[in-house]
Amino acid sequence: MRSTSVTHGLVLRAQIVLKLDAGNRPVDIVRSLGVSEKTVYKWRNRFNDEGIDGLQDAVRSGRPTVIDEKTVQTVLKMTCEQVPHEATHWSIALMAEYAQISTWQVRQIWDAADLKPHRLRTFKISSDPQFAEKVIDVVGLYMDPPNNAMVLLVDEKTQIQALDRTQPGLPLSENRIASRTHDYKRNGTASLYAAFNILSGEVIAKVTDRHRAKEFIEFLKQIDKSTPEDLDLHIILDNLSAHKTTEVKLWLEKHPRVHFHFTPTSASWLNAVEGWFSQLERRALYRGVFTSVKDLEDEIKRYVKVHNKYSAKPFRWTKTAEKIIASVNRAKKSLPN
């Protein structure tokens, strides 16, 4: 009865039930609510038989709308092979106008064919000539990690902005969502290096003001000091130029227990640390208010600490290299020449 989103009819039925429960006679309810006796008895009986669910409207089949096969094929062909003159994609209203049918019929045809013209999904097929070899290498580390070794997923999240709102926000309260100003003040940026341990889910992190080879080597040194010396380190990372400089190669020669495994170009999805970065963005950064880069750095460090203590869990990769390669090959064949 207190809800502001349900229909008036449902509220009225709830009032009838509560007044009956309070001992009111049906004739008194008729006078106070302005309904008929038939209505009072109907919802009393429905409630007694079915409980709360009985107060909902019964399902009515209605007269089925016939959509002939020619109309269905016309709509499907227009949806997949044409675009409207006044837009880049079809909407229900535009298709109804062009096909001279109702919007309900358009919905039925699209739902049956699982067509969603308003949605758009992005993709990028890697052109790396060593795509298959790299996928097999990386997925092999995920699904069958070597003994006496640690597998770490390394990447950078660059240009994280320390944003402060121009006015204090309004907190969440009953009947009101939290809110904040749409405008903000920029207080600088920071970069985050992260190494995700697939066996424990824990993260080694370093916040820097830049992301050059120099900062990357400093992060490698931190990883080296933070991990047991008797374990080999297999590091999965992308093809950023800062990962392949002469300085980095010299550092690797001096640390033979560290082995790099590069993902294919344009295949950052193969590095699962991206999922942890998304989690960091949602849980700590998106709603954050940072008056300085120092505030931003402190919040990132706090989140990493909390994650390692309470949320870290082993990472599981389930899709085999063979399935990934086959899927990419099918995508290549489907692209127009």
Side-chain angles (χ1 to χ4, degrees):
M1 284 173 57
R2 289 193 298 268
S3 174
T4 59
S5 60
V6 300
T7 62
H8 172 71
L10 190 55
V11 172
L12 182 64
R13 296 162 200 172
Q15 289 176 323
I16 291 171
V17 171
L18 291 178
K19 285 182 178 295
L20 288 168
D21 184 62
N24 291 284
R25 297 178 303 164
V27 66
D28 297 327
I29 298 174
V30 167
R31 294 194 191 99
S32 62
L33 296 182
V35 296
S36 66
E37 281 193 48
K38 181 179 179 181
T39 298
V40 174
Y41 287 120
K42 172 184 177 180
W43 295 114
R44 183 194 67 178
N45 294 338
R46 287 271 292 270
F47 181 78
N48 286 338
D49 293 340
E50 304 176 40
I52 293 293
D53 292 339
L55 300 183
Q56 302 288 343
D57 290 321
V59 177
R60 300 177 182 178
S61 59
R63 182 175 180 269
T65 300
V66 178
I67 309 175
D68 61 87
E69 185 63 25
K70 182 179 179 181
T71 300
V72 172
Q73 293 303 320
T74 299
V75 170
L76 293 179
K77 184 178 178 65
M78 291 174 65
T79 305
C80 297
E81 299 180 10
Q82 302 176 28
V83 293
H85 296 302
E86 58 269 62
T88 59
H89 61 281
W90 290 106
S91 67
I92 291 175
L94 279 175
M95 179 55 71
E97 179 183 344
Y98 273 69
Q100 292 298 294
I101 58 177
S102 70
T103 56
W104 185 91
Q105 290 173 312
V106 175
R107 288 192 183 93
Q108 296 302 304
I109 296 171
W110 281 357
D111 287 347
D114 195 25
L115 284 171
K116 300 178 177 66
H118 66 286
R119 298 189 62 184
L120 182 67
R121 186 162 54 189
T122 60
F123 74 97
K124 175 74 173 181
I125 297 178
S126 174
S127 58
D128 194 320
Q130 295 181 308
F131 177 80
E133 293 86 343
K134 291 180 178 179
V135 168
I136 292 170
D137 179 37
V138 171
V139 173
L141 289 172
Y142 286 152
M143 306 190 75
D144 187 22
N147 295 324
N148 300 316
M150 183 182 293
V151 178
L152 298 172
L153 315 179
V154 170
D155 202 359
E156 303 93 354
K157 184 175 179 62
T158 61
Q159 297 295 307
I160 306 173
Q161 296 194 69
L163 300 180
D164 185 16
R165 297 292 150 178
T166 57
Q167 297 173 358
L170 298 176
L172 174 71
S173 63
E174 188 175 351
N175 296 324
R176 188 183 70 195
I177 63 173
S179 60
R180 67 181 184 183
T181 61
H182 66 275
D183 54 344
Y184 50 82
K185 294 183 291 185
R186 293 187 176 93
N187 292 312
T189 62
S191 294
L192 170 65
Y193 287 87
F196 184 92
N197 185 341
I198 68 168
L199 292 182
S200 68
E202 295 181 344
V203 172
I204 301 170
K206 182 178 180 64
V207 180
T208 64
D209 57 350
R210 302 180 69 176
H211 54 280
R212 303 165 298 176
K214 178 182 177 181
E215 286 75 23
F216 179 58
I217 292 175
E218 290 299 318
F219 183 53
L220 291 175
K221 292 178 180 178
Q222 179 178 335
I223 293 173
D224 187 41
K225 293 178 181 179
S226 305
T227 54
E229 295 180 358
D230 59 331
L231 295 180
D232 281 351
L233 300 179
H234 292 270
I235 295 179
I236 297 172
L237 67 171
D238 61 25
N239 295 272
L240 186 70
S241 59
H243 298 163
K244 300 179 178 182
T245 64
T246 303
E247 293 80 6
V248 172
K249 293 177 181 178
L250 290 174
W251 188 90
L252 288 174
E253 290 177 2
K254 296 177 182 179
H255 299 80
R257 78 182 184 114
V258 180
H259 310 276
F260 279 4
H261 302 262
F262 292 101
T263 59
T265 55
S266 303
S268 59
W269 47 266
L270 199 56
N271 191 335
V273 73
E274 296 287 348
W276 184 83
F277 280 146
S278 297
Q279 187 183 91
L280 167 71
E281 177 68 32
R282 293 193 307 272
R283 296 183 178 181
L285 302 180
Y286 177 69
R287 292 196 179 192
V289 175
F290 309 108
T291 59
S292 66
V293 173
K294 179 66 167 54
D295 280 351
L296 175 62
E297 181 177 348
D298 289 345
E299 174 59 17
I300 292 173
K301 290 179 178 178
R302 183 203 66 80
Y303 179 80
V304 171
K305 184 177 180 180
V306 171
H307 167 81
N308 288 341
K309 186 174 182 179
Y310 298 108
S311 305
K313 59 183 179 180
F315 170 75
R316 290 188 60 197
W317 185 277
T318 58
K319 197 166 188 178
T320 65
E322 290 75 15
K323 289 183 178 180
I324 293 173
I325 295 169
S327 177
V328 170
N329 288 336
R330 287 195 301 271
K332 287 181 178 179
K333 290 180 181 178
S334 65
L335 290 176
N337 295 325

